Amino acid sequence: MKFGYWMPIFGGWLRNVEDEQMPTDWSYVKQLAQRSEVLGYDLTLIAELFLNDIKGPEAPALEAWSTAAALAAVTEQLEIMVAVRPTFHQPALLAKQAANIDLIAPGRLSLNVVSSWWRDEATKYGLHFEQHDDRYARTREWLDVVTNVWKQDHFSYDGKYYQVADNILQPKPAKAPFLYAGGESEAAKDLISTQCDGYVMHGDSPEQIGARIADMRRRREQKGLPPMKFGVAGYTIVRDNEQDVQKELDRITNVKASAAGFSNYQQWLAGTQLEQQVSLQDYSVSNRGLRTGLTGTPAQLQDRIGEFENVGVDFFLLQASPQLEEMERFSESVIQVLA
């Protein structure tokens, strides 16, 4: 089992806690990335949003790709998974940027391909916004261009959304970046099982995650493609006793609908096609992180992680608050013990 974490480029993950003691600045993310390698974490996910959907649009948020390039230069072994939204990047240009970062950190760059959901953000940045299935049709073409210009020169493409004539991309990446994506709609699962290498999921129980993994495995086998890797989001709370766990849960789920990020959250719900209804408690922690059930004593978390491993999960993408302190605790109580 590998352990990854979301880089807190939004200043945290709790929509109802104003100050999570995670500064939105370069010095903090650099410290976190370097310390995480010592603690035994394998990868970090850098989300791509130009506005802050956790703390509200007026709050600061770091830009994903420049942050990724900087982190590539100051880490040694951490996989840097960067989210990328096709509607925000021309594919051949993004492929060039990604190849350059991969050469800074050979073999350590991966992409998490995300279809845009936030209409207001696109409007504020002068970007085109498309409906759900149209976004996935565009993403198919986008991936075709990106993956081919990594592999060959003099590549041409004439699609509905993108055209490339006799492209040359040099130097090539040291290794073509691994492609992850997530989504629960039929359009998403068909695209991911066809064109990506890994499937990342919002938090849910081992039973529900296992069913999704089995479905994606069937899709891959039917298409004659090699096995995928599977990851799950989760929010972690590790304490020595259940009373302290519950106290922390009460603190982070005390949600008010007037919180700064609530309207953004409603837009996200309207722009996605999820398999289940979400609750206001789900809103309190992003990516349905509490549903994964990684809250409890060290022994309880170790057992829970074993349940996910048994259904085919390869890695976790964890959130915690405040991140550095809680990652230290999780490493000592869980990662080092399992290792």
Side-chain angles (χ1 to χ4, degrees):
M1 179 67 71
K2 291 187 175 182
F3 294 94
Y5 62 95
W6 294 66
M7 185 61 73
I9 61 169
F10 308 122
W13 310 111
L14 305 175
R15 291 186 170 93
N16 61 306
V17 177
E18 185 174 346
D19 182 4
E20 297 183 57
Q21 303 170 52
M22 291 187 254
T24 311
D25 60 31
W26 163 243
S27 62
Y28 183 74
V29 298
K30 176 185 176 183
Q31 177 192 17
L32 193 57
Q34 292 178 328
R35 182 61 183 159
S36 72
E37 291 189 310
V38 177
L39 294 174
Y41 288 86
D42 302 285
L43 69 154
T44 185
L45 169 58
I46 305 173
E48 182 181 54
L49 283 169
F50 293 165
L51 298 177
N52 192 324
D53 81 317
I54 304 294
K55 303 300 183 183
E58 304 293 329
L62 300 182
E63 193 278 324
W65 280 86
S66 53
T67 301
L71 289 176
V74 299
T75 52
E76 297 180 357
Q77 59 201 32
L78 195 67
E79 178 184 340
I80 301 170
M81 182 196 298
V82 195
V84 57
R85 292 179 291 174
T87 51
F88 285 25
H89 302 271
Q90 285 291 324
L93 294 176
L94 189 282
K96 178 70 174 177
Q97 292 174 258
N100 202 57
I101 297 174
D102 185 73
L103 291 167
I104 296 169
R108 293 198 285 122
L109 179 72
S110 58
L111 273 60
N112 181 26
V113 183
V114 181
S115 292
S116 302
W117 56 266
W118 195 355
R119 181 185 295 275
D120 282 1
E121 179 196 37
T123 302
K124 291 178 188 298
Y125 275 86
L127 296 162
H128 181 60
F129 185 83
E130 293 172 316
Q131 296 305 310
H132 184 275
D133 286 0
D134 293 330
R135 297 199 296 269
Y136 282 99
R138 176 185 290 275
T139 299
R140 287 183 184 276
E141 289 194 10
W142 191 91
L143 285 168
D144 282 342
V145 174
V146 168
T147 55
N148 276 285
V149 300
W150 281 337
K151 296 175 185 175
Q152 57 181 298
D153 283 336
H154 303 289
F155 173 73
S156 297
Y157 189 87
D158 186 16
K160 176 181 177 182
Y161 300 96
Y162 300 109
Q163 295 77 42
V164 173
D166 194 31
N167 174 270
I168 297 174
L169 192 157
Q170 288 291 342
K172 301 291 187 193
K175 179 183 178 183
F178 201 87
L179 298 174
Y180 300 94
E184 296 177 7
S185 68
E186 179 58 33
K189 289 184 283 191
D190 182 62
L191 180 144
I192 296 164
S193 63
T194 303
Q195 293 182 272
C196 296
D197 308 302
Y199 184 45
V200 290
M201 294 164 276
H202 290 309
D204 259 319
S205 68
E207 294 76 17
Q208 290 165 313
I209 295 299
R212 292 195 187 101
I213 290 174
D215 175 53
M216 294 298 279
R217 283 175 172 167
R218 283 193 297 269
R219 292 170 187 261
R220 293 286 281 190
E221 291 170 1
Q222 290 169 357
K223 295 169 183 176
L225 296 171
M228 308 185 79
K229 290 192 178 297
F230 298 98
V232 180
Y235 188 92
T236 65
I237 299 173
V238 190
R239 298 292 186 270
D240 292 333
N241 58 73
E242 295 187 9
Q243 291 80 9
D244 287 345
V245 172
Q246 188 59 52
K247 181 180 178 181
E248 179 66 4
L249 276 170
D250 291 343
R251 181 184 76 88
I252 69 173
T253 57
N254 180 24
V255 179
K256 297 179 175 61
S258 59
F262 191 69
S263 62
N264 313 329
Y265 183 69
Q266 291 175 310
Q267 283 194 43
W268 174 71
L269 289 179
T272 57
Q273 295 180 15
L274 299 178
E275 294 173 353
Q276 308 171 55
Q277 294 296 312
V278 294
S279 68
L280 199 59
Q281 180 169 323
D282 290 324
Y283 159 77
S284 69
V285 173
S286 69
N287 303 97
R288 299 205 307 250
L290 287 175
R291 290 196 190 185
T292 310
L294 296 179
T295 61
T297 65
Q300 288 172 328
L301 265 66
Q302 292 159 23
D303 290 343
R304 187 69 165 178
I305 288 165
E307 294 177 35
F308 281 102
E309 192 167 25
N310 289 339
V311 300
V313 171
D314 297 295
F315 63 93
F316 287 100
L317 291 170
L318 303 175
Q319 298 171 350
S321 180
Q323 187 112 357
L324 183 58
E325 292 82 351
E326 291 296 329
M327 283 175 60
E328 296 264 6
R329 191 194 304 262
F330 186 85
S331 173
E332 181 180 354
S333 302
V334 179
I335 296 178
Q336 295 176 34
V337 174
L338 293 178

